[in-house]
Amino acid sequence: MSRFFSKKYENLTPYTPGEQPQDMQYIKLNTNESPFPPHPAVAEAVKQEVESLRLYSDPDCKALVAKLAKQYGVAPEQVMLTNGSDDVLNFAFMAFCDEEHPAVFPDITYGFYKVFAEINHIPYAQIPLKEDFSVDVADYCGVNKTVFIANPNAPTGIALSLDEIEKILKSNPNNVVVIDEAYVDFGAQSAVALVEKYENLLVVQTFSKSRSMAGARLGFAIGNKNLMADLNTLRYSTNPYNINRMTSVAGIVTLENQAYTDKNCGIIMENRENAAKALKKLGFALTDSKSNFLFASHPAIDGKTLYTELKRRGILVRHFDKPRISPYVRITVGTAEQMDALIRTIGEILEENQ
Ligand code: PMP
């Protein structure tokens, strides 16, 4: 820390992103990226756009917003785009939390929520998940705070039903409820269906997972148009050109090829179920994941050892050295070949550890 660093941030613990090592070719199952490339038409569209890079991008991203609005059956004023969904989550903390509206989220969830609360000096509470890692909906009913729930949750993969989300929305009419749907396309129900009914609902999604665009950085929010106006006030006060031209056209072409995204999600879900079965056979305990990752623990090997042994053999998974979840590893679901290699390698490690 330099002596010039603002006292405001001296206690800030930044988010730790998953490793992106360059030293060798790993089977990379640690950051929930898609194993599939973007649709081939994306490359062509991005190439065409290069000539226009001398011009600023459209701050309203009208063409992409219109396409998203159509796909989700909402008005364009109900959609806002950001540089990855991390960006809109940060805006949501800035816009809808303060001393009167502290933030609340589970003790085990996406690690960035805590960081966003801290960087914005927002008071927050963390509610423990139940023993089985599910969210106890009753804990959030009438909680009178700004609620942040990842659905499905990360790193557990467990999803809430729309009925359960509706209970939270109904019982907190004076607070915004943010539903982070980064992984919703892998088998959970989207709360976008509820945005007309609840003015306090903000749904956040991303192109990073199901749409194979983690490196392009594209996220969005859907909700009541007044919430979008608030978020846009903050976006225009920081970086109105937050979506670059190449990402914008990549997003448009990706939406035009929805069948490709749907097909890839189908494959991931099938690979997830097959890998879950194989891991159970090896003695693992797993949560009921509705996302593109598995969360698994084994009685004979702790999470950190399994992570280290897999890495040594060229397979990267994610381990969180945190209370309650340190026995677990989070495994991104990849191609069938990648999952076969993972299962084979885990089998070898377990045998050696006997
Ligand atoms: N929400 C959750 C629950 C996530 O796991 C992630 C990815 N790490 C994000 C949001 C942010 O993803 P992105 O910024 O790539 O859209």
Side-chain angles (χ1 to χ4, degrees):
M1 191 192 306
S2 81
R3 64 194 167 91
F4 308 105
F5 194 44
S6 168
K7 291 259 179 298
K8 278 193 302 227
Y9 302 121
E10 67 183 357
N11 293 320
L12 185 65
T13 311
Y15 176 70
T16 315
E19 314 163 75
Q20 304 284 1
Q22 315 288 334
D23 58 331
M24 62 176 261
Q25 275 278 338
Y26 285 94
I27 294 181
K28 203 170 168 301
L29 307 175
N30 68 326
T31 43
N32 300 340
E33 290 138 331
S34 173
F36 305 113
H39 189 277
V42 168
E44 193 44 44
V46 169
K47 198 168 148 209
Q48 296 285 322
E49 193 63 20
V50 168
E51 221 176 282
S52 305
L53 286 184
R54 65 188 182 81
L55 302 171
Y56 282 107
S57 55
D58 170 12
D60 293 323
C61 278
K62 282 186 221 55
L64 178 50
V65 163
K67 279 229 178 304
L68 269 175
K70 190 153 176 245
Q71 177 160 338
Y72 285 94
V74 296
E77 302 75 50
Q78 293 177 278
V79 181
M80 190 187 86
L81 294 164
T82 50
N83 190 282
S85 58
D86 283 337
D87 215 17
V88 69
L89 288 167
N90 186 32
F91 286 142
F93 273 88
M94 290 167 75
F96 306 123
C97 301
D98 52 28
E99 293 289 332
E100 260 178 69
H101 304 89
V104 65
F105 41 87
D107 62 338
I108 298 164
T109 190
Y110 184 34
F112 232 137
Y113 299 160
K114 190 166 174 257
V115 180
F116 288 140
E118 283 177 3
I119 196 168
N120 293 305
H121 299 101
I122 291 161
Y124 64 93
Q126 291 173 285
I127 300 182
L129 293 179
K130 287 197 274 193
E131 203 55 44
D132 64 359
F133 291 142
S134 61
V135 168
D136 192 341
V137 172
D139 287 341
Y140 295 86
C141 289
V143 69
N144 222 15
K145 297 184 170 72
T146 303
V147 177
F148 290 81
I149 288 190
N151 193 44
N153 196 11
T156 64
I158 299 172
L160 291 176
S161 69
L162 275 197
D163 286 349
E164 291 173 307
I165 288 174
E166 199 162 1
K167 276 190 196 144
I168 299 172
L169 285 161
K170 249 190 212 156
S171 61
N172 290 288
N174 298 322
N175 281 281
V176 172
V177 174
V178 179
I179 305 295
D180 176 355
E181 296 189 346
Y183 303 103
V184 76
D185 296 332
F186 302 102
Q189 292 174 290
S190 174
V192 171
L194 300 175
V195 290
E196 292 306 328
K197 211 164 154 193
Y198 296 96
E199 60 168 357
N200 59 332
L201 169 61
L202 185 76
V203 181
V204 172
Q205 288 203 14
T206 179
F207 279 62
S208 294
K209 319 289 178 183
S210 57
R211 298 182 174 102
S212 303
M213 278 180 47
R217 314 303 302 129
L218 186 59
F220 61 97
I222 295 185
N224 180 280
K225 68 176 174 25
N226 296 328
L227 295 184
M228 293 305 126
D230 298 340
L231 293 170
N232 267 315
T233 298
L234 297 176
R235 191 171 67 86
Y236 271 81
S237 305
T238 45
N239 181 9
Y241 305 109
N242 59 341
I243 310 297
N244 71 68
R245 282 176 168 273
M246 290 181 293
T247 294
S248 184
V249 293
I252 290 170
V253 174
T254 296
L255 292 181
E256 284 169 355
N257 290 282
Q258 185 60 33
Y260 175 75
T261 299
D262 293 342
K263 186 184 88 186
N264 289 343
C265 291
I267 297 171
I268 296 291
M269 287 189 271
E270 193 182 325
N271 294 352
R272 178 184 70 208
E273 296 313 310
N274 290 337
K277 255 189 231 147
L279 287 170
K280 276 183 196 156
K281 250 194 189 158
L282 289 172
F284 279 86
L286 294 140
T287 53
D288 179 21
S289 173
K290 297 280 181 258
S291 59
N292 68 339
F293 53 81
L294 291 164
F295 197 52
S297 71
H298 195 283
I301 189 163
D302 68 275
K304 191 162 191 176
T305 310
L306 182 56
Y307 155 81
T308 311
E309 290 297 316
L310 280 169
K311 186 171 179 185
R312 229 160 49 82
R313 292 165 173 81
I315 300 180
L316 275 185
V317 297
R318 187 101 197 245
H319 175 254
F320 300 93
D321 217 348
K322 291 197 172 139
R324 295 185 74 187
I325 58 171
S326 66
Y328 286 76
V329 289
R330 192 195 67 188
I331 305 164
T332 303
V333 178
T335 61
E337 294 72 34
Q338 289 177 320
M339 299 321 276
D340 286 347
L342 171 90
I343 304 292
R344 212 175 35 248
T345 310
I346 289 183
E348 288 163 15
I349 294 170
L350 288 176
E351 257 181 35
E352 280 172 27
N353 269 258
Q354 264 176 6

